[in-house]
Amino acid sequence: MKKIEESIFKFLMVSSLVLLIMALLSITIAVFVKGYNALSLKMIFTTPKGGYYLGKEGGILNAILGSIIIALSATILSFIYSFFIVFYINVYRYSKSNFSKSVRFLLDLLWGIPSIVYGAFGFAIMLIFKIPASMIAGIITLSFVILPIMARTMDETLRMIPFELKQVGFSLGATRLEISYKIMLRQSLPGILTAILLSFGRGLGDAASVLMTCSFSDSLPTSLLKPVATLPLSVFFQLSTPFKEVQERGYASAFVLTFLMLFVSLIARLCTKSLSKNVVK
Amino acid sequence: MGAKCPIEVNNLKVSYKKEEILKDMNLTIPEKGITVILGPSGCGKSTLLKCFNRIIELEEDVKVEGEIFVDKEDILHPKTDLIALRKKMGLLLQKPQVLPMSIYDNVAFGAKLHKKMKKNELDELVERELKKVNLWDEVKERLNSSAQSLSIGQQQRLCLARGLAVEPEIILGDEPTSALDPLSAEIIEKLFLSLKENYTIILVTHILRQAKRLADYVAFIYLGEVVECGKKEEFFNNPKDERTKRYLSGIIAG
Ligand SMILES: Nc1ncnc2c1ncn2[C@@H]1O[C@H](COP(=O)(O)OP(=O)(O)OP(=O)(O)O)[C@@H](O)[C@H]1O
Ligand SMILES: [Mg+2]
């Protein structure tokens, strides 16, 4: 009986794993196969020329750069807010206090709100203050979309830090600030890197929040105050044309987006190893 | 070095969430030598120790009343400079807790908090403190590797060195040998004996034999109260209180 139980569970585990790998592989392969014809260096290093969406010359450099700049800036911005929130609730307040629990609950709620709502809200504020669609508006809106992901992921790693580590810091005469950045930060570096990575990934792939706030542009991002292109929207525009060659470019762009994510993840994994060197268990 | 005059604990009361843990404690700890605090598990030894450097306040819902005089100042007074107080007290926990950094940085950590130091001064400090705890020869080749890589016994000595580097006057030890193997425990015990000339040492333990080996003075705590305290010889050979007698003969477990 025990044996059968064991093998059923084993089967379920293996099949779920296979499903996961299949999903990843089939998406990547499908995107690659469909976009293969359009994939070229030229596509990556040029901007859309006139009539690009009708099948004429050009590339998606505007969207690649736009996405990277927006996602990166939003990640940095939300890291800054998260840092203060998370260290406040874990070092300045008791991790398990009701206050800290309420903050976590709030972040979980925010996590559940679809990004289109953030986009719409950002847009409404822009209307009130007569701010045009611009890169800066997109960055700020996106930073709020990824804030709960960043803060909660960081919070989970800080919460796991043994209480004794804080005790040691205090007994040596450290202030809360010194404990935060000299002890807790070091101890949670690998977790913080994961938080940054997750947030960056989400930022890179999010279309809804930038749709209304930074619009789209065929030229390279040069100013914070001008509209800017992003990869997910570029994929959307290309796929929704009736022309086969433009759709192929859409798939090629999607492949570039996937590849970018993979690349960032790999680099981050490599860093995690050296960051974990001193972490105490 | 060491405290300049005896540490006085007057009417100390501590409660967690209205549950009274220490009930009206009165205790005098001589400024020289090792004072051992004995008592069964859960009687409040760690709680008392945490009051001395006030890290008790890190716990949630804790209330501390009374006075503790260290060098004629009531350290429980709200205006006490906590950083200065904690610098004066080195704490050694039951389970060695190294910091997430290299061996070198562990020793230098506390010292750097209180004083700007040059690289060569730090090098000297690290070597000096590691030598004090007999760890230098074992780690001098790998000062930059993670403190996590040391054995538990070595980690505890590293923690002691880290505490000493801050130049405390008083050393607080909360069962510092209980997580260690007998050999490492013996090394730590010897270190305490060698340090007692220069520091006021307050050591919590529930190992009677260890208390006999190390103590100059003993305080016996039972259910949050100081039952008896005095010189080692008197305490062990001629206990006055009934509860002390029962504890020493092993009737009260701990
Ligand atoms: N953070 C806390 N919240 C609530 N109660 C606590 C807390 N810490 C300790 N206590 C309680 O206080 C009492 C005394 O604890 P303390 O740790 O001081 O005992 P101890 O004498 O050090 O015991 P041991 O020898 O097992 O270490 C215990 O009954 C314990 O349950
Ligand atoms: Mg204890």
Side-chain angles (χ1 to χ4, degrees):
Chain A
M1 199 56 215
K2 277 260 154 65
K3 232 176 176 166
I4 299 176
E5 236 173 60
E6 186 81 358
S7 37
I8 290 177
F9 269 95
K10 215 165 182 181
F11 172 76
L12 287 175
M13 289 174 207
V14 172
S15 48
S16 313
L17 202 66
V18 169
L19 201 68
L20 178 73
I21 295 172
M22 291 274 287
L24 182 65
L25 278 184
S26 53
I27 291 176
T28 321
I29 291 173
V31 168
F32 182 72
V33 169
K34 288 199 159 183
Y36 177 74
N37 278 334
L39 213 52
S40 67
L41 280 181
K42 198 172 140 227
M43 180 193 118
I44 297 175
F45 290 112
T46 53
T47 53
K49 301 285 167 340
Y52 175 74
Y53 301 96
L54 303 170
K56 298 234 174 79
E57 289 283 284
I60 52 162
L61 183 64
N62 59 330
I64 296 177
L65 282 184
S67 265
I68 292 179
I69 293 174
I70 288 190
L72 202 64
S73 318
T75 306
I76 293 171
L77 212 57
S78 84
F79 176 76
I80 297 172
Y81 326 131
S82 302
F83 184 87
F84 289 110
I85 296 174
V86 165
F87 277 88
Y88 185 70
I89 64 175
N90 283 294
V91 185
Y92 285 75
R93 296 294 191 115
Y94 308 105
S95 287
K96 294 188 202 102
S97 68
N98 286 334
F99 177 82
S100 303
K101 282 181 190 156
S102 325
V103 173
R104 284 187 192 110
F105 178 69
L106 215 74
L107 287 169
D108 288 343
L109 280 183
L110 286 177
W111 195 327
I113 297 176
S115 64
I116 187 79
V117 176
Y118 286 91
F121 188 70
F123 189 63
I125 291 180
M126 286 158 63
L127 283 184
I128 295 172
F129 294 102
K130 303 212 163 43
I131 303 166
S134 54
M135 177 142 82
I136 182 84
I139 290 173
I140 293 175
T141 312
L142 188 60
S143 75
F144 281 102
V145 174
I146 60 182
L147 171 67
I149 304 173
M150 179 83 87
R152 281 296 271 128
T153 320
M154 272 168 77
D155 175 51
E156 283 304 320
T157 58
L158 278 176
R159 233 154 42 118
M160 294 302 151
I161 294 181
F163 180 66
E164 285 77 15
L165 211 49
K166 266 194 255 182
Q167 271 188 343
V168 167
F170 280 109
S171 333
L172 289 170
T175 60
R176 287 192 146 82
L177 187 63
E178 285 162 340
I179 289 172
S180 299
Y181 75 93
K182 290 188 177 157
I183 300 180
M184 307 280 273
L185 186 63
R186 271 163 177 267
Q187 172 73 3
S188 55
L189 273 183
I192 289 180
L193 188 69
T194 307
I196 292 176
L197 185 70
L198 279 176
S199 313
F200 181 71
R202 176 68 197 275
L204 209 54
D206 195 68
S209 60
V210 289
L211 179 65
M212 285 183 272
T213 49
C214 50
S215 183
F216 199 82
S217 155
D218 280 347
S219 47
L220 288 177
T222 48
S223 159
L224 277 174
L225 304 173
K226 286 195 187 134
V228 62
T230 45
L231 262 177
L233 287 183
S234 164
V235 171
F236 172 73
F237 290 140
Q238 293 174 84
L239 286 182
S240 54
T241 60
F243 310 106
K244 184 146 182 304
E245 58 270 49
V246 181
Q247 286 178 6
E248 269 177 4
R249 289 176 186 169
Y251 282 109
S253 312
F255 183 75
V256 171
L257 183 59
T258 316
F259 185 79
L260 215 58
M261 242 353 273
L262 206 68
F263 183 69
V264 175
S265 306
L266 277 179
I267 298 222
R269 285 294 142 224
L270 290 180
C271 298
T272 316
K273 210 168 165 210
S274 65
L275 291 181
S276 310
K277 188 178 142 241
N278 285 320
V279 168
V280 294
K281 277 154 211 112
Chain B
M1 282 233 264
K4 285 164 210 79
C5 45
I7 299 171
E8 302 263 0
V9 178
N10 295 336
N11 307 99
L12 182 67
K13 285 184 202 148
V14 176
S15 50
Y16 287 119
K17 298 196 183 98
K18 302 209 172 78
E19 187 196 349
E20 209 165 53
I21 305 293
L22 300 187
K23 303 155 190 159
D24 213 11
M25 258 192 182
N26 288 289
L27 185 65
T28 304
I29 293 169
E31 67 271 34
K32 281 272 164 299
I34 301 181
T35 301
V36 165
I37 296 178
L38 264 180
S41 187
C43 68
K45 304 182 295 292
S46 303
T47 306
L48 172 64
L49 213 56
K50 283 187 215 157
C51 290
F52 288 120
N53 66 355
R54 285 182 61 179
I55 60 167
I56 184 103
E57 288 160 27
L58 304 179
E59 322 264 346
E60 205 176 3
D61 287 326
V62 63
K63 200 160 141 240
V64 183
E65 286 169 280
E67 299 163 330
I68 298 179
F69 284 97
V70 177
D71 289 339
K72 299 227 157 55
E73 265 178 75
D74 178 17
I75 57 156
L76 293 183
H77 194 275
K79 287 215 180 97
T80 305
D81 178 355
L82 285 181
I83 306 272
L85 173 68
R86 288 169 181 156
K87 183 179 179 304
K88 207 188 264 188
M89 314 239 178
L91 174 69
L92 206 53
L93 296 170
Q94 182 164 5
K95 198 176 132 268
Q97 179 70 59
V98 296
L99 296 170
M101 46 190 86
S102 67
I103 296 173
Y104 182 99
D105 288 335
N106 257 277
V107 182
F109 182 85
K112 272 198 295 196
L113 291 176
H114 301 289
K115 203 161 68 180
K116 273 227 150 45
M117 294 174 96
K118 291 200 202 77
K119 178 82 177 77
N120 62 328
E121 287 175 313
L122 275 177
D123 290 346
E124 270 170 40
L125 172 107
V126 169
E127 180 170 347
R128 185 177 68 233
E129 300 306 332
L130 285 174
K131 277 183 174 158
K132 265 190 210 162
V133 299
N134 295 327
L135 194 58
W136 175 251
D137 291 326
E138 290 158 65
V139 302
K140 65 180 175 207
E141 308 292 330
R142 49 171 177 150
L143 288 174
N144 286 319
S145 52
S146 162
Q148 181 72 28
S149 65
L150 297 174
S151 77
I152 298 291
Q154 289 172 325
Q155 284 186 20
Q156 191 64 307
R157 276 181 279 156
L158 180 67
C159 290
L160 185 56
R162 179 183 66 196
L164 293 178
V166 184
E167 297 176 346
E169 293 167 14
I170 298 158
I171 298 176
L172 309 170
D174 191 353
E175 306 185 34
T177 62
S178 64
L180 309 185
D181 61 284
L183 217 65
S184 310
E186 201 188 319
I187 298 179
I188 296 278
E189 281 191 12
K190 285 210 177 106
L191 280 171
F192 273 109
L193 286 173
S194 71
L195 292 170
K196 76 174 185 180
E197 302 301 322
N198 294 319
Y199 300 88
T200 308
I201 299 180
I202 306 175
L203 193 65
V204 163
T205 182
H206 58 236
I207 310 168
L208 278 179
R209 267 170 299 149
Q210 186 174 53
K212 282 183 191 161
R213 284 193 296 267
L214 298 182
D216 296 304
Y217 305 91
V218 184
F220 173 56
I221 295 178
Y222 187 57
L223 298 177
E225 283 176 85
V226 181
V227 172
E228 188 165 343
C229 58
K231 286 219 169 87
K232 168 169 83 170
E233 292 74 22
E234 220 159 296
F235 181 87
F236 284 112
N237 300 334
N238 195 8
K240 301 199 173 51
D241 195 283
E242 201 48 43
R243 287 165 292 181
T244 318
K245 286 180 196 160
R246 295 216 320 259
Y247 181 73
L248 290 178
S249 60
I251 297 170
I252 297 175

Short mmCIF file of all heavy atoms in Angstrom, two decimals, chain B residues 16-17 19 21-22 39-48 50 59-60 94 174-175 204 206, ligand 1:
data_model
loop_
_atom_site.label_atom_id
_atom_site.label_comp_id
_atom_site.label_asym_id
_atom_site.label_seq_id
_atom_site.Cartn_x
_atom_site.Cartn_y
_atom_site.Cartn_z
N TYR B 16 6.39 39.40 30.36
CA TYR B 16 6.04 39.26 28.94
C TYR B 16 4.53 39.18 28.87
O TYR B 16 3.94 38.29 29.47
CB TYR B 16 6.60 37.95 28.38
CG TYR B 16 8.08 37.91 28.15
CD1 TYR B 16 8.88 36.99 28.82
CD2 TYR B 16 8.70 38.77 27.26
CE1 TYR B 16 10.24 36.91 28.60
CE2 TYR B 16 10.06 38.71 27.04
CZ TYR B 16 10.83 37.78 27.70
OH TYR B 16 12.16 37.71 27.48
N LYS B 17 3.91 40.05 28.14
CA LYS B 17 2.45 40.01 27.98
C LYS B 17 1.75 39.78 29.31
O LYS B 17 0.96 38.86 29.46
CB LYS B 17 2.04 38.89 27.01
CG LYS B 17 2.59 39.09 25.62
CD LYS B 17 1.85 38.19 24.64
CE LYS B 17 2.42 38.32 23.25
NZ LYS B 17 3.37 37.25 22.91
N GLU B 19 2.56 38.35 31.84
CA GLU B 19 3.00 37.20 32.63
C GLU B 19 4.32 37.57 33.30
O GLU B 19 5.30 37.89 32.62
CB GLU B 19 3.18 35.99 31.72
CG GLU B 19 3.48 34.72 32.47
CD GLU B 19 4.02 33.62 31.55
OE1 GLU B 19 3.96 33.80 30.32
OE2 GLU B 19 4.51 32.63 32.08
N ILE B 21 7.76 37.28 34.76
CA ILE B 21 8.84 36.30 34.64
C ILE B 21 9.86 36.51 35.75
O ILE B 21 10.27 35.58 36.43
CB ILE B 21 9.54 36.43 33.27
CG1 ILE B 21 8.52 36.31 32.13
CG2 ILE B 21 10.64 35.40 33.13
CD1 ILE B 21 7.88 34.97 31.98
N LEU B 22 10.27 37.75 35.94
CA LEU B 22 11.17 38.06 37.06
C LEU B 22 10.36 38.84 38.09
O LEU B 22 9.75 39.86 37.77
CB LEU B 22 12.37 38.90 36.60
CG LEU B 22 13.28 38.29 35.54
CD1 LEU B 22 14.50 39.17 35.34
CD2 LEU B 22 13.69 36.89 35.91
N GLY B 39 20.33 28.04 37.91
CA GLY B 39 18.89 27.88 38.07
C GLY B 39 18.33 26.92 37.06
O GLY B 39 18.92 26.74 36.00
N PRO B 40 17.19 26.33 37.38
CA PRO B 40 16.58 25.37 36.45
C PRO B 40 16.08 26.06 35.19
O PRO B 40 15.94 27.28 35.15
CB PRO B 40 15.43 24.78 37.26
CG PRO B 40 15.14 25.76 38.32
CD PRO B 40 16.41 26.47 38.61
N SER B 41 15.79 25.27 34.19
CA SER B 41 15.34 25.81 32.91
C SER B 41 14.04 26.61 33.07
O SER B 41 13.15 26.21 33.79
CB SER B 41 15.11 24.65 31.94
OG SER B 41 14.84 25.14 30.68
N GLY B 42 14.00 27.75 32.42
CA GLY B 42 12.77 28.55 32.44
C GLY B 42 12.62 29.45 33.64
O GLY B 42 11.60 30.10 33.81
N CYS B 43 13.66 29.54 34.50
CA CYS B 43 13.52 30.34 35.71
C CYS B 43 13.76 31.81 35.45
O CYS B 43 13.50 32.66 36.29
CB CYS B 43 14.45 29.83 36.80
SG CYS B 43 16.17 30.13 36.42
N GLY B 44 14.29 32.14 34.28
CA GLY B 44 14.48 33.54 33.95
C GLY B 44 15.94 34.00 33.89
O GLY B 44 16.21 35.20 33.93
N LYS B 45 16.86 33.06 33.74
CA LYS B 45 18.28 33.43 33.70
C LYS B 45 18.58 34.28 32.46
O LYS B 45 19.21 35.33 32.56
CB LYS B 45 19.15 32.16 33.69
CG LYS B 45 18.90 31.23 34.84
CD LYS B 45 19.83 30.02 34.80
CE LYS B 45 19.63 29.10 33.62
NZ LYS B 45 18.38 28.35 33.59
N SER B 46 18.13 33.78 31.31
CA SER B 46 18.41 34.54 30.08
C SER B 46 17.73 35.90 30.12
O SER B 46 18.29 36.91 29.67
CB SER B 46 17.92 33.78 28.85
OG SER B 46 18.51 32.52 28.80
N THR B 47 16.53 35.91 30.67
CA THR B 47 15.80 37.17 30.77
C THR B 47 16.58 38.18 31.59
O THR B 47 16.72 39.35 31.20
CB THR B 47 14.42 36.91 31.42
OG1 THR B 47 13.76 35.88 30.69
CG2 THR B 47 13.58 38.16 31.43
N LEU B 48 17.12 37.74 32.72
CA LEU B 48 17.91 38.64 33.57
C LEU B 48 19.12 39.17 32.81
O LEU B 48 19.41 40.37 32.81
CB LEU B 48 18.36 37.89 34.83
CG LEU B 48 19.35 38.62 35.72
CD1 LEU B 48 18.74 39.88 36.30
CD2 LEU B 48 19.86 37.72 36.85
N LYS B 50 19.59 39.50 29.65
CA LYS B 50 19.23 40.43 28.58
C LYS B 50 18.86 41.81 29.10
O LYS B 50 18.83 42.77 28.34
CB LYS B 50 18.06 39.86 27.77
CG LYS B 50 18.46 38.76 26.82
CD LYS B 50 17.26 38.40 25.96
CE LYS B 50 17.22 36.93 25.62
NZ LYS B 50 15.85 36.50 25.29
N GLU B 59 12.29 42.24 22.35
CA GLU B 59 11.16 41.32 22.35
C GLU B 59 9.87 42.14 22.36
O GLU B 59 9.85 43.29 22.80
CB GLU B 59 11.17 40.42 23.59
CG GLU B 59 12.52 39.96 24.02
CD GLU B 59 12.89 38.60 23.49
OE1 GLU B 59 12.00 37.89 23.01
OE2 GLU B 59 14.07 38.25 23.56
N GLU B 60 8.82 41.50 21.90
CA GLU B 60 7.56 42.21 21.83
C GLU B 60 6.85 42.15 23.18
O GLU B 60 6.97 41.18 23.92
CB GLU B 60 6.69 41.57 20.75
CG GLU B 60 5.70 42.55 20.18
CD GLU B 60 4.91 41.93 19.04
OE1 GLU B 60 5.11 40.76 18.73
OE2 GLU B 60 4.09 42.65 18.47
N GLN B 94 24.03 31.40 23.64
CA GLN B 94 24.09 29.95 23.80
C GLN B 94 24.58 29.26 22.52
O GLN B 94 25.49 28.45 22.55
CB GLN B 94 22.68 29.49 24.14
CG GLN B 94 22.55 28.02 24.40
CD GLN B 94 21.23 27.73 25.10
OE1 GLN B 94 20.41 28.59 25.29
NE2 GLN B 94 21.06 26.50 25.50
N ASP B 174 25.57 33.56 28.10
CA ASP B 174 24.34 32.81 28.33
C ASP B 174 24.54 31.35 27.93
O ASP B 174 24.40 30.99 26.78
CB ASP B 174 23.20 33.42 27.51
CG ASP B 174 21.84 32.86 27.91
OD1 ASP B 174 21.81 31.92 28.73
OD2 ASP B 174 20.83 33.37 27.42
N GLU B 175 24.91 30.53 28.88
CA GLU B 175 25.23 29.12 28.63
C GLU B 175 26.12 28.98 27.40
O GLU B 175 25.79 28.24 26.47
CB GLU B 175 23.95 28.30 28.45
CG GLU B 175 22.99 28.47 29.61
CD GLU B 175 21.78 27.55 29.48
OE1 GLU B 175 21.95 26.44 28.96
OE2 GLU B 175 20.69 27.96 29.91
N VAL B 204 25.75 32.59 32.83
CA VAL B 204 24.56 31.78 33.12
C VAL B 204 24.88 30.34 32.78
O VAL B 204 25.46 30.05 31.75
CB VAL B 204 23.37 32.25 32.27
CG1 VAL B 204 22.28 31.19 32.25
CG2 VAL B 204 22.82 33.55 32.79
N HIS B 206 23.42 26.00 33.69
CA HIS B 206 22.70 25.14 34.61
C HIS B 206 23.49 23.85 34.87
O HIS B 206 22.96 22.87 35.34
CB HIS B 206 21.26 24.88 34.15
CG HIS B 206 21.16 24.27 32.80
ND1 HIS B 206 20.43 24.84 31.79
CD2 HIS B 206 21.69 23.16 32.29
CE1 HIS B 206 20.53 24.09 30.71
NE2 HIS B 206 21.29 23.07 30.99
N1 LIG C 1 9.83 36.40 24.08
C1 LIG C 1 9.15 35.79 25.07
N2 LIG C 1 7.80 35.91 25.12
C2 LIG C 1 7.10 35.31 26.11
N3 LIG C 1 7.64 34.58 27.08
C3 LIG C 1 8.98 34.41 27.09
C4 LIG C 1 9.80 35.01 26.08
N4 LIG C 1 11.09 34.68 26.34
C5 LIG C 1 11.07 33.92 27.45
N5 LIG C 1 9.81 33.75 27.90
C6 LIG C 1 9.41 33.01 29.11
O1 LIG C 1 10.13 33.52 30.19
C7 LIG C 1 10.51 32.48 31.07
C8 LIG C 1 11.98 32.60 31.38
O2 LIG C 1 12.70 32.42 30.19
P1 LIG C 1 14.28 32.44 30.15
O3 LIG C 1 14.68 32.27 28.72
O4 LIG C 1 14.76 33.63 30.86
O5 LIG C 1 14.64 31.13 30.96
P2 LIG C 1 16.08 30.52 31.27
O6 LIG C 1 16.24 30.53 32.73
O7 LIG C 1 17.10 31.18 30.47
O8 LIG C 1 15.88 29.02 30.78
P3 LIG C 1 16.93 28.06 30.00
O9 LIG C 1 17.83 27.51 31.02
O10 LIG C 1 16.03 27.00 29.43
O11 LIG C 1 17.60 28.88 28.97
C9 LIG C 1 10.12 31.19 30.41
O12 LIG C 1 8.96 30.71 31.06
C10 LIG C 1 9.80 31.56 29.00
O13 LIG C 1 8.74 30.79 28.52
#
